[in-house]
Amino acid sequence: MTLSRFFVAIVFLALIPGVLSAEIYSYVDKNGVLYFSNVPTSRQYRYIGPEFSGNRYATFPKGSPDDYDHIIAQASRLYNIRFGLIKAIIRVESNFDPNAVSPKGALGLMQLMPSNVEQLNVRNPFDPRENVMAGTRFFRQLLERYNSDLTLSLAAYNAGPGAVDRHRSVPPYRETRDYVDKVLQYYGLFRNASP
């Protein structure tokens, strides 16, 4: 094949995204790290669907503080958690970016950890509705676990329930303490907000 034909073939393939699509697999390791691959190297990988435009989930634009109010309101009613509190958690977790991914692998608006994505049967952690419903359900579980203690529940949402249980209080992690303070500050701002 001549060099010019090679470049024509590359350009042609680049203009037809479906030709280059691949099947995507994922698995969560023992540390809660989520891995994606188009070539599974072990039986731990699960098929999650076809690849879309290089990023299977990058289909949701970043929102403003009001764009997800209807979803937050549904989650608030369903799980009996104040609207303003859910909104404050989302503000601190992702700043209303449904495609947010933390360095530790937390995903979406409420920054669900990969282990929670699996436990809560979330199909697409970047789907705003699915993420907010799952994150709110998880937070309701934490409130029940810590007898409605908001501070401990927020600390557990950030650092994990294991850390809160080990320390029997808010863990002495600066990130977690700052997180609790920030959520409570935004909760103060959003307390009287409604959709």
Side-chain angles (χ1 to χ4, degrees):
M1 178 182 281
T2 66
L3 194 54
S4 62
R5 283 187 184 172
F6 174 76
F7 284 118
V8 169
I10 294 296
V11 169
F12 176 75
L13 289 174
L15 293 174
I16 305 175
V19 172
L20 296 177
S21 68
E23 303 299 309
I24 300 297
Y25 300 82
S26 73
Y27 90 93
V28 180
D29 72 11
K30 63 183 178 183
N31 297 315
V33 177
L34 179 63
Y35 293 90
F36 293 98
S37 177
N38 63 337
V39 182
T41 56
S42 75
R43 300 179 94 199
Q44 296 172 303
Y45 280 91
R46 257 180 2 170
Y47 175 73
I48 59 171
E51 174 183 35
F52 295 104
S53 303
N55 184 345
R56 181 188 193 310
Y57 300 116
T59 57
F60 300 96
K62 182 175 182 198
S64 73
D66 300 325
D67 286 348
Y68 306 107
D69 282 0
H70 63 289
I71 299 170
I72 296 168
Q74 289 173 349
S76 171
R77 287 189 299 273
L78 184 62
Y79 295 107
N80 194 27
I81 296 176
R82 290 186 176 269
F83 174 90
L85 179 57
I86 300 168
K87 191 164 183 165
I89 291 170
I90 293 170
R91 169 58 179 88
V92 174
E93 289 288 350
S94 67
N95 196 23
F96 304 99
D97 182 356
N99 301 307
V101 178
S102 80
K104 293 180 181 176
L107 307 166
L109 286 170
M110 292 190 74
Q111 291 289 274
L112 302 175
M113 290 303 291
S115 57
N116 289 338
V117 167
E118 196 164 289
Q119 289 168 2
L120 297 167
N121 295 316
V122 174
R123 293 188 64 221
N124 182 350
F126 299 116
D127 178 277
R129 185 175 195 293
E130 210 177 342
N131 187 287
V132 171
M133 289 297 177
T136 306
R137 179 165 41 128
F138 178 62
F139 193 69
R140 165 50 59 201
Q141 293 169 358
L142 294 174
L143 284 167
E144 289 170 4
R145 181 175 182 153
Y146 298 108
N147 299 313
S148 298
D149 185 313
L150 183 55
T151 300
L152 287 182
S153 299
L154 287 170
Y157 195 89
N158 177 262
V164 172
D165 293 347
R166 274 193 310 278
H167 294 282
R168 296 184 181 159
S169 68
V170 175
Y173 313 144
R174 181 177 194 154
E175 176 191 332
T176 300
R177 292 174 186 263
D178 289 347
Y179 172 83
V180 170
D181 288 344
K182 284 180 191 172
V183 172
L184 292 175
Q185 285 173 5
Y186 280 106
Y187 182 32
L189 289 174
F190 297 141
R191 187 180 297 270
N192 296 321
S194 61

